[in-house]
Structures are given as C-alpha cells and as structure tokens.
Amino acid sequence: LAQAQGGCIGPSTVAHSSLPLAAISGKGDAGSMYRCVARRFAEAAGKKWNGQVMIDICMVPMGKGVSVRKEVTEVERVLRRHEAAGRIVCRLHGYGTNVSGSWDDVMGAVREAHEVLHEEMGVVRI
C-alpha cells in the first residue's frame, strides 16, 4: 500500500477499496490504514478519534442454493452474542445490519461472522 502525508492514505482510496477481510481486521498494514484514515477525518473536524466506528454490513453467501436463511440467521446470532456481551450495538434492517462500537470489537464480530460462514457452514464465497 502506498502511503502519503504522515503515513496515511487519503480517504478516497479507502472509499473505493476492495481489500479482503483479513486486510481490514485491524492486523497488519490495511487495518492500520483504515484507523489512520479515521484519525485524519477526526482531525479535519477538529476532534480526536475515539476509536468508535459504525458499519453497515450485508453478508450474502454465494453457492449455497436459493435460500440463505440459515446462514443469515447464524451471522445474526454471532452479532447478537457480541451485543449481549456489551461489546457492540446492532440494529437489523431490511438490507443488512448496522453495527457500532470500538474498532476492534466491530471488526472482531465481522471476523467471527466470516469464520462461522466459511468454517462451520461451508460457504465458499461471501
């Protein structure tokens, strides 16, 4: 990843990124890049970033047939388990789920949802 001005990549790079989940998990260069961009947005607004994020996630399992009801239910269970533990806040809506909390907690929940689909349910593509 190319870096510019103080080790951060500009926001337009992030908005159109197609990085794999491993890259945004908070480990390695890409996770640092996303946190860096969040800090730059906060600094531009005259504030310090407190590590809180909000995402809108829509996971669509591919190659498992017409119905994805079981897979979506399992992802929702993972997110609700994280919410019950007080780590994140979730709101299910018609096109996905809004998830908010600290960067590490939100990305941890997304990672676990991916792992459940891939490893436990045999989904090849999401």
Side-chain angles (χ1 to χ4, degrees), residues 53-58 72 75-76 78-84 87-101 106 109:
V53 294
M54 177 183 274
I55 66 169
D56 184 27
I57 187 166
C58 177
V72 170
V75 168
E76 192 64 20
V78 168
L79 295 176
R80 295 296 174 196
R81 190 169 49 247
H82 281 262
E83 184 176 39
R87 295 188 293 242
I88 61 174
V89 176
C90 299
R91 170 160 270 146
L92 180 67
H93 57 81
Y95 298 101
T97 306
N98 292 335
V99 183
S100 61
V106 169

Side-chain angles (χ1 to χ4, degrees), residues 38-116:
R39 278 193 300 274
R40 287 184 69 195
F41 279 126
E43 288 169 4
K47 300 176 182 177
K48 184 177 180 192
W49 181 51
N50 63 2
Q52 297 295 304
V53 294
M54 177 183 274
I55 66 169
D56 184 27
I57 187 166
C58 177
M59 292 184 160
V60 181
M62 305 296 285
K64 290 294 286 183
V66 177
S67 175
V68 292
R69 164 178 59 87
K70 292 177 185 176
E71 291 83 359
V72 170
T73 301
E74 200 56 42
V75 168
E76 192 64 20
R77 279 191 188 129
V78 168
L79 295 176
R80 295 296 174 196
R81 190 169 49 247
H82 281 262
E83 184 176 39
R87 295 188 293 242
I88 61 174
V89 176
C90 299
R91 170 160 270 146
L92 180 67
H93 57 81
Y95 298 101
T97 306
N98 292 335
V99 183
S100 61
S102 76
W103 171 272
D104 292 330
D105 291 338
V106 169
M107 289 301 125
V110 172
R111 174 180 285 255
E112 185 178 336
H114 269 259
E115 288 172 350
V116 164

